[in-house]
Amino acid sequence: AVKRKSKYVAPEFLSVSNRNSIMPPLPPKKATNLQVGTHVDFAKFFNIKEGDLVRVLYGKDAGKQGVIRKIDHKKNQVIVDGCNMTKSFWSPRWTPKTKDVPSITTVEAPIHIHNIAPLDPVVKKPTRIKRRVNMFGESVRVSKISGCAMPEPVPSEFLTDPTDNDFEIAQHNRMKGPMKDKYSKKDKYHFHMLLNITARLRGEKDDQLLNQK
């Protein structure tokens, strides 16, 4: 009897390969800038600039609006005009002669950048900002809610204030307070006495080291 050949042909995906069942090595990971533990500048990623109108989302001043006066890129904190006000118990402008200036001043404390959001110019609601290229080839900031271009931030000329550094100076001098007049000038006799004491102590230490050897 003659055997008939079957017309059935196995498809390609069912065909058996003679290759070894060893997986190829995985490709190396691509180097990324956002490694674990690296510093991230959120103001740059959120496209937030000094002079933008923002709203506070959380905290005691939630719902308040203000203009960003200063951005701390290292700590990811901002200072918003009129928000998160705290009392400083030593005013750097106070002196015994000018008693009209109060010794307790109120300044803006820093707010983390995650606790604020820029306002949409059309809907007047908190939004996020993205970058888009317009028909002229310029990269502009666009609101994600309405798709409208964000207005230009307030110029730095209107953000400067002579009391901007009051909070930093007050924090630096919070424990020691203002220096008295008699200590503001160096006393030569006291200075030379300290030099003699330090020289004597160094000499005693040198003698102890020589005796040990």
Side-chain angles (χ1 to χ4, degrees):
V2 180
K3 294 182 179 180
R4 295 181 180 179
K5 295 181 180 180
S6 61
K7 297 181 180 180
Y8 175 77
V9 179
E12 294 182 359
F13 67 89
L14 292 178
S15 60
V16 180
S17 175
N18 295 327
R19 296 180 181 178
N20 297 328
S21 58
I22 299 176
M23 296 295 293
L26 295 175
K29 293 183 178 180
K30 295 182 179 179
T32 57
N33 295 328
L34 300 179
Q35 298 292 342
V36 178
T38 57
H39 174 71
V40 180
D41 187 2
F42 288 107
K44 181 180 178 182
F45 281 92
F46 293 160
N47 296 312
I48 296 176
K49 296 182 179 180
E50 294 181 0
D52 287 342
L53 181 63
V54 296
R55 178 181 292 178
V56 181
L57 302 178
Y58 309 102
K60 62 179 181 180
D61 293 336
K64 283 188 177 181
Q65 301 179 9
V67 179
I68 296 177
R69 296 174 55 186
K70 188 178 180 181
I71 298 177
D72 190 350
H73 295 276
K74 292 183 178 180
K75 297 182 179 179
N76 289 321
Q77 294 178 344
V78 296
I79 293 178
V80 183
D81 188 19
C83 296
N84 198 18
M85 304 297 290
T86 58
K87 287 185 178 180
S88 174
F89 291 92
W90 184 76
S91 176
R93 295 179 296 167
W94 184 86
T95 57
K97 297 180 181 178
T98 59
K99 295 183 179 180
D100 297 336
V101 180
S103 60
I104 299 177
T105 180
T106 307
V107 293
E108 295 95 347
I111 305 174
H112 199 270
I113 201 167
H114 283 162
N115 297 337
I116 63 169
L119 285 179
D120 187 275
V122 178
V123 190
K124 304 299 181 183
K125 291 184 179 181
T127 181
R128 292 298 180 190
I129 301 174
K130 57 185 178 181
R131 288 276 182 178
R132 289 293 180 266
V133 181
N134 60 7
M135 57 187 298
F136 301 104
E138 299 175 354
S139 178
V140 296
R141 301 187 303 163
V142 178
S143 172
K144 282 190 174 183
I145 292 181
S146 62
C148 178
M150 296 295 294
E152 291 295 327
V154 179
S156 59
E157 303 172 357
F158 300 98
L159 299 176
T160 55
D161 191 2
T163 61
D164 280 348
N165 298 326
D166 281 2
F167 182 73
E168 298 176 0
I169 298 172
Q171 275 193 332
H172 180 69
N173 300 302
R174 181 175 54 181
M175 301 302 295
K176 62 183 183 182
M179 185 179 291
K180 294 184 178 180
D181 296 335
K182 63 179 181 179
Y183 297 130
S184 60
K185 296 180 181 180
K186 183 173 68 174
D187 189 359
K188 293 183 180 181
Y189 175 76
H190 185 255
F191 179 70
H192 289 296
M193 184 177 65
L194 292 175
L195 288 178
N196 295 331
I197 292 172
T198 53
R200 190 186 306 170
L201 293 174
R202 286 178 182 176
E204 292 178 358
K205 287 184 179 179
D206 294 340
D207 294 339
Q208 292 177 1
L209 291 174
L210 291 173
N211 295 330
Q212 290 177 1
K213 292 181 179 179

